[in-house]
Amino acid sequence: MKLKRITLKVPKTFQYLLFATLATSWCSGITFFILNRFITIEGDFGPQKHPWQFPAISTHGLAAFMMMILFGAMLASHVPMAWQTKKLRFWSITFVIAVSLQIITGYSLYYLASEDSREITGYFHLAVGFCLPIILAIHVISAAKNRKKKNVAH
Ligand code: HEM
Ligand code: HEM
């Protein structure tokens, strides 16, 4: 098997890996939020949290590590090459900023947030996370349209 480099073009296998990782991160994040916020079950010692919370947040952590590896690969390849084309900057930079915010707020959820600020940081992280797939979809769809336009012109 020949591994293709990521350049201005992003190899299909890498794209699938990125989309699958983002989907895992999104689903596990939302699942954890719903279980944590809305669901309590009757345990032997009174009301308690749903036991699926733990697998949800540990899957989320795994997906977060994967996202950071894949994001790092993009920052070292596609991003500097694509920047020079001066095209599609708005939504792609929005995506880069949004992922960076997830890393910063994710880190502070682990280590920094006090009880009060944890709630605000958590909601901010959830809101930005909710939008991530939409932002990436806009970037990828505009890239496809841009390519089509180029092909018609030549
Ligand atoms: C981590 C952030 C980013 C991700 C995940 C990402 C992802 C993608 C994907 C999946 C494609 C379509 C696949 C392809 O054309 O081969 C694409 C195309 C493109 N991206 Fe990004 N992108 C990112 C950041 C950026 C940035 C910062 C720019 C800079 C302006 C940019 C500019 C472009 C351009 C110009 C294309 C079209 C390439 C072509 O015509 O072949 N992207 N990007
Ligand atoms: C790009 C990547 C992301 C990174 C690096 C990331 C990282 C993290 C980290 C480190 C935590 C703390 C885990 C803990 O407290 O044990 C966390 C929690 C969380 N994440 Fe993410 N995450 C990302 C994307 C997302 C997305 C896409 C969503 C959902 C839409 C999301 C929703 C959540 C929620 C709801 C929590 C729990 C917040 C709380 O404890 O109040 N995250 N994330």
Side-chain angles (χ1 to χ4, degrees):
M1 192 176 88
K2 194 164 176 287
L3 282 179
K4 278 199 192 135
R5 269 178 186 280
I6 309 168
T7 57
L8 178 59
K9 286 216 158 69
V10 184
K12 278 278 182 260
T13 9
F14 186 91
Q15 287 192 39
Y16 296 143
L17 191 60
L18 180 70
F19 300 154
T21 307
L22 184 57
T24 309
S25 170
W26 197 91
C27 294
S28 58
I30 300 281
T31 307
F32 175 81
F33 174 73
I34 293 170
L35 294 176
N36 188 37
R37 186 79 178 72
F38 300 112
I39 314 248
T40 41
I41 55 165
E42 211 43 61
D44 293 340
F45 307 101
Q48 64 176 44
K49 297 282 188 194
H50 198 284
W52 288 6
Q53 261 194 21
F54 179 71
I57 201 68
S58 58
T59 306
H60 191 69
L62 178 66
F65 285 125
M66 280 296 291
M67 269 305 283
M68 287 189 279
I69 295 173
L70 302 175
F71 183 59
M74 291 299 279
L75 286 184
S77 54
H78 178 75
V79 172
M81 285 176 155
W83 186 255
Q84 291 186 351
T85 67
K86 297 197 164 65
K87 285 188 188 136
L88 309 178
R89 280 187 173 172
F90 182 80
W91 288 104
S92 60
I93 287 303
T94 307
F95 185 72
V96 171
I97 293 172
V99 174
S100 308
L101 285 173
Q102 289 308 86
I103 296 170
I104 296 165
T105 49
Y107 178 87
S108 51
L109 283 169
Y110 258 142
Y111 298 115
L112 301 181
S114 65
E115 277 310 307
D116 295 339
S117 64
R118 203 173 197 293
E119 191 157 329
I120 302 166
T121 313
Y123 276 114
F124 184 80
H125 184 89
L126 175 70
V128 175
F130 187 87
C131 300
L132 277 186
I134 304 167
I135 302 169
L136 182 59
I138 298 176
H139 176 56
V140 176
I141 292 166
S142 356
K145 278 194 183 146
N146 187 57
R147 174 111 43 88
K148 231 188 228 161
K149 227 172 20 196
K150 227 169 36 189
N151 288 345
V152 169
H154 290 131

